[in-house]
Amino acid sequence: MNDTQLDKTGKPATVSARISPAGGLDILSRNEVARLRDASGSGLHGLLRRCALAVLTSGEVGDDPRGMFEQYPNFDIQVLQQDRGIKIELSHAPAQAFVDGHIIRGINELLVAVVRDIVYVATQLEQGVFELDNTVGITHAVFEILRNARILKPQIDPNLVVCWGGHSISRDEYEYTKSVGYQLGLRSMDICTGCGPGAMKGPMKGATIAHAKQRRRKNRYIGVTEPGIIAAESPNPIVNQLVIMPDIEKRLEAFVRMGHAIIVFPGGVGTAEEILYLLGILLHPDNAGIPFPLIFTGPKQSAAYFEQIDTFLRLALGDEVAQHYKVIVDDPIAVAHAAVHGVDKVRNHRLDNKDAFFFNWSLSIPQAFQQPFIPTHTAMRALAIHRNRPRHELAADLRRAFSGIVAGNVKDEGVRAIEQHGPFEIDGEPDIMRALDRLLQAFVQQHRMKLPGGSAYVPCYRVLTS
């Protein structure tokens, strides 16, 4: 459903208002407010404006990184410091975020999360608090951002299931994600996703109904995003805790540090990136013996999708990689049972090793998975995709290849790079390149690269198969 409201001229209707933040927001310093208002390259206003508009269009489904600003070119947001605290001034904001002149409470709370995370990360970086040149420092930065966002909850038994999957999925696949979320919710599992539509919304929606049936309160529907992707994946309306990580690598680390099990639904290149990220970590020798439930699932119509994924993973990383995941087709109850059983193993392992339930400190994440990858044409061509490397290192570069395609598809800077210099070129071992090309062609044919409607998908990449 598209919630866009139109005015008498047929253009998107807008509202200008000054609102009091809901959900609590610490007082900001004059310097922080100035940086949020500064529209220069050194200020945070552009980032704030982009993320805020994504939140205000929550419920709309689209994957054009520039489409929102074309619809709302005059939108602006200002954070004001007043004697009684913070005020947020919205100019020409999407009318769909308001009911009878009042901003929707959930959207107000997500706006607060946007301001909170942008200010906190910028302040910590400016003061040199985050040590981002070593593995331990990066993990601590992820922890501090999550803690500041009040995402980490101590004294709660492990119950957080991370759900990955595509924003462009079929109706049958979407309904299946709801069914799985429903079965998880009946078993008191909370849900964490990338916060967008499709397979990120479905599990939350299903769990919401189940939690209501069980009369369960204080349910968590956590959305984890980052500035480059939020414009293409606006938070869905069910998200009640939002956190904006600085980049995709810290977003991925947040998922695996917080989650007690991960369920993967059908998706496209972003989902493949997530799979390779986690498998690369699990393949690292330091992580042998650490339980981490990973389940691939979808309706019977999607069985071929996971066969393609499994075939590619086995060819690139060896048959042993399949030991780290379970494929369950068309059986939401079996998925929920497998997730709960896996979470029980995680709980016992954390108890035995005196590790926290709310943050997986024991998992070793190599720096190759933590350092931000900037997908330039040179960087994409330089990826070393060959099987004569340690498997976790190969997985890291395969992850970067998919990350580059995600950027070329939906991130503004990636789209601009493709417009200026043509498609990214991906080179490597011929067998892997041919398998990668087949997998990507299947994604295109199954409409997993772009939401239905609009112009046909034009690949932002070229795989060199010979």
Side-chain angles (χ1 to χ4, degrees):
M1 182 178 67
N2 194 319
D3 293 330
T4 302
Q5 299 178 23
L6 303 180
D7 61 19
K8 294 180 180 180
T9 66
K11 295 180 180 179
T14 63
V15 172
S16 295
R18 182 172 292 184
I19 62 174
S20 298
L25 181 65
D26 293 335
I27 294 173
L28 302 179
S29 70
R30 289 184 176 180
N31 180 53
E32 289 167 338
V33 171
R35 293 188 67 190
L36 287 170
R37 294 170 63 89
D38 184 1
S40 71
S42 61
L44 299 174
H45 185 256
L47 178 61
L48 173 65
R49 182 170 176 258
R50 184 166 71 249
C51 294
L53 184 55
V55 165
L56 290 163
T57 54
S58 174
E60 287 195 24
V61 178
D63 54 7
D64 181 353
R66 285 175 274 186
M68 284 194 305
F69 283 106
E70 291 175 357
Q71 280 191 296
Y72 304 99
N74 298 318
F75 167 71
D76 197 16
I77 177 173
Q78 296 290 348
V79 178
L80 310 176
Q81 181 79 66
Q82 297 186 340
D83 291 341
R84 296 184 180 181
I86 300 298
K87 292 286 187 181
I88 296 178
E89 189 171 69
L90 301 173
S91 301
H92 304 287
Q96 69 198 56
F98 295 79
V99 176
D100 298 334
H102 300 281
I103 192 167
I104 296 170
R105 169 81 186 202
I107 292 177
N108 192 331
E109 291 178 356
L110 297 184
L111 272 180
V112 169
V114 166
V115 176
R116 176 201 66 211
D117 293 339
I118 289 175
V119 167
Y120 179 73
V121 171
T123 301
Q124 300 303 94
L125 290 173
E126 185 179 70
Q127 296 176 354
V129 176
F130 292 158
E131 297 179 13
L132 302 181
D133 58 352
N134 64 81
T135 297
V136 173
I138 293 172
T139 294
H140 276 275
V142 171
F143 174 83
E144 293 292 347
I145 294 168
L146 294 174
R147 181 170 64 173
N148 184 68
R150 299 178 177 88
I151 298 292
L152 304 177
K153 300 294 183 184
Q155 301 176 343
I156 296 179
D157 270 358
N159 78 327
L160 187 60
V161 178
V162 173
C163 295
W164 286 339
H167 67 297
S168 179
I169 58 175
S170 69
R171 188 69 198 181
D172 288 339
E173 290 170 341
Y174 175 71
E175 293 296 331
Y176 183 81
T177 69
K178 284 171 57 180
S179 296
V180 171
Y182 177 77
Q183 294 299 329
L184 292 170
L186 289 177
R187 293 161 176 81
S188 296
M189 296 290 111
D190 286 324
I191 307 295
C192 174
T193 77
C195 91
M200 291 166 278
K201 178 182 177 182
M204 289 183 173
K205 195 167 187 178
T208 300
I209 301 301
H211 288 156
K213 282 188 174 183
Q214 293 285 26
R215 302 297 189 265
R216 187 171 181 269
R217 296 178 174 84
K218 297 183 179 180
N219 306 304
R220 293 187 295 163
Y221 310 109
I222 302 172
V224 185
T225 187
E226 56 97 12
I229 205 75
I230 191 171
E233 293 177 357
S234 293
N236 71 70
I238 302 170
V239 172
N240 63 8
Q241 287 186 282
L242 176 70
V243 58
I244 301 175
M245 305 301 291
D247 50 59
I248 189 66
E249 286 76 13
K250 293 175 186 63
R251 181 196 195 199
L252 291 169
E253 182 164 351
F255 281 130
V256 303
R257 296 284 186 192
M258 285 193 301
H260 304 115
I262 290 184
I263 296 174
V264 182
F265 297 104
V269 285
T271 304
E273 176 185 6
E274 292 163 340
I275 291 171
L276 284 160
Y277 177 87
L278 179 54
L279 287 177
I281 291 169
L282 297 180
L283 287 170
H284 194 284
D286 290 350
N287 294 320
I290 296 179
F292 205 117
L294 176 58
I295 304 162
F296 297 168
T297 190
K300 59 185 177 182
Q301 299 92 327
S302 306
Y305 170 85
F306 287 110
E307 290 174 5
Q308 293 165 336
I309 293 288
D310 180 65
T311 298
F312 177 77
L313 292 173
R314 288 173 182 268
L315 182 144
L317 302 174
D319 287 331
E320 301 84 1
V321 72
Q323 298 173 6
H324 294 285
Y325 56 83
K326 178 183 294 187
V327 180
I328 301 175
V329 176
D330 206 34
D331 195 338
I333 294 177
V335 172
H337 282 158
V340 171
H341 180 65
V343 170
D344 286 341
K345 285 187 174 181
V346 169
R347 182 182 187 277
N348 293 333
H349 184 268
R350 302 277 182 93
L351 288 171
D352 291 343
N353 291 273
K354 297 180 174 56
D355 197 5
F357 286 167
F358 55 84
F359 194 82
N360 190 347
W361 290 106
S362 62
L363 199 67
S364 176
I365 300 183
Q367 202 163 0
F369 291 86
Q370 295 179 312
Q371 289 293 342
F373 174 65
I374 310 300
T376 64
H377 284 71
T378 300
M380 289 288 283
R381 187 66 187 266
L383 296 174
I385 304 177
H386 302 278
R387 283 178 288 190
N388 59 356
R389 311 175 61 193
R391 291 181 303 164
H392 63 277
E393 292 182 8
L394 172 56
D397 264 2
L398 282 169
R399 197 281 299 179
R400 293 185 180 105
F402 284 105
S403 185
I405 298 173
V406 171
N409 282 347
V410 301
K411 294 186 180 182
D412 188 49
E413 64 273 19
V415 172
R416 293 182 188 278
I418 300 302
E419 289 174 347
Q420 292 176 9
H421 306 293
F424 292 131
E425 291 187 340
I426 306 171
D427 197 7
E429 185 176 328
D431 284 350
I432 299 180
M433 290 300 100
R434 285 190 285 269
L436 175 62
D437 195 41
R438 288 193 296 269
L439 183 65
L440 293 174
Q441 287 182 20
F443 288 171
V444 174
Q445 292 165 2
Q446 296 164 11
H447 306 289
R448 301 192 185 279
M449 293 290 203
K450 186 178 178 68
L451 286 168
S455 58
Y457 175 71
V458 177
C460 66
Y461 62 88
R462 186 162 68 92
V463 180
L464 306 181
T465 57
S466 59

